[in-house]
Amino acid sequence: MTGDLGKAWDRVTDPAKLDIIATTQAKDNERCRLEVSRSFISDTLTVPSKEMCDYAVQASLGDDVYHEPNTAALEAHMARLFGKEAALFVPSGTMSNQLAMRTHLKQPPYSVLCDHRAHVYACEAGGVAFHSGAQVIPVIPSNRHHLTLDDIQKFIVLDEDIHFALTQVIELENTLHGSIFPQDEIIRISEFARKRGIKMHLDGARIWHVAVETGTPLDVLCEPFDSISACFSKGLGAPVGSCLMGSKEFIARARWFRKTFGGGMRQTGFFAASVAYALTHNFPKLAAVHQLTRRLERGLLELGVEITGSVETCMVFYNPSPIGTNYTEIAERAEQLPSPLLLGGSRLVVHIQTSEQAIDDFLNVLRSLAEEKKAAGFVRPAGKVDDGSYKDIYVRRK
Ligand SMILES: Cc1ncc(COP(=O)(O)O)c(C=O)c1O
């Protein structure tokens, strides 16, 4: 554009110009990848590899509100893989769970029953009340591991009494805090629910780990559920996204709600292709991740640290007080290493980008602290020591 009009446009567009790629970006990203390889905080910190990005830039360029081609192919693949009729790609696990609730729940008053630690209840900002107007019934498992049918029968609302909100959805999470929900108990719960017309939703953000660890196909694990949310941006290492699976009718309605929630995205091909890469190349790595987590647990036990939540998949919970130290001291020491380690309290999460060196360095930090404490006269206390980690799990579980 020439002349005065061109200058006027420049005055408007020039202030908007932006170059956010630092001249040191390639190096910064390498540093970021190193940090991720030394972080035990969460598998949500995993970052796209260069190979994933190279694959993803070749993706189709359609508009996902109108069924973007690569995204539609991913959805069809996910539906097949999980043994359901249809699937919907969404930006996050939270949106996926919330859409499931909103789609299952039609006319209040009603309630959703779940484990008291379930993400949908504890970590989604009150979304079930906000979006669906439902009461949540959070239940503490009597075995402290997973809900049983007996636990559910004690708290579920089946009474057609106008004082109560009938339970219309049972929501289970697998894995939950890294632990595996026994499939036979899921089947018992689902048979009970189906007889009463109660919907079963699975928060399967990390169902991938269950499949690999138990050698059970995803469709078999998910058969007892009416809807499933599975995340790509955690253990699988994709940058963004989750899928919601269910019947054709359920997903068509959820697609509508996705639009209402503001989750109808446009050129999502790049993300769908990242997920395809993750399914092909990263999913098979989870078995090795579980082995590495077990190595970490063995190292902790050898040092005399208490294990408060044993490894079932990619997480281990520990209490360092039997060797005379605490989480803050460990985190400070780990941060001072030439190549720091990032820690988040009692929960240690291992992921596809965790390096073996990080595991060794972490165990060495604990070993040095244990030796120092012993030299200073610390004597291991008899019995269990409360490390306050119960609360900590909630704070750190993202
Ligand atoms: C079990 C579980 N479900 C759902 C979510 C929500 O996923 P997002 O962070 O993508 O919203 C998380 C997040 O970590 C999670 O751990």
Side-chain angles (χ1 to χ4, degrees), residues 33 48-58 270 274:
R33 290 201 167 96
S49 62
K50 187 175 174 315
E51 293 76 14
M52 180 185 279
C53 295
D54 288 346
Y55 180 77
V57 289
Q58 304 170 63
F270 179 87
S274 302

Side-chain angles (χ1 to χ4, degrees), residues 44 92-94 97 119 124 173 203 205-206 231 233-234 398:
T44 55
S92 69
T94 300
N97 282 334
H119 197 276
E124 295 186 8
E173 191 172 306
D203 180 347
R206 296 182 179 83
C231 291
S233 62
K234 301 175 176 71
K398 281 298 225 190

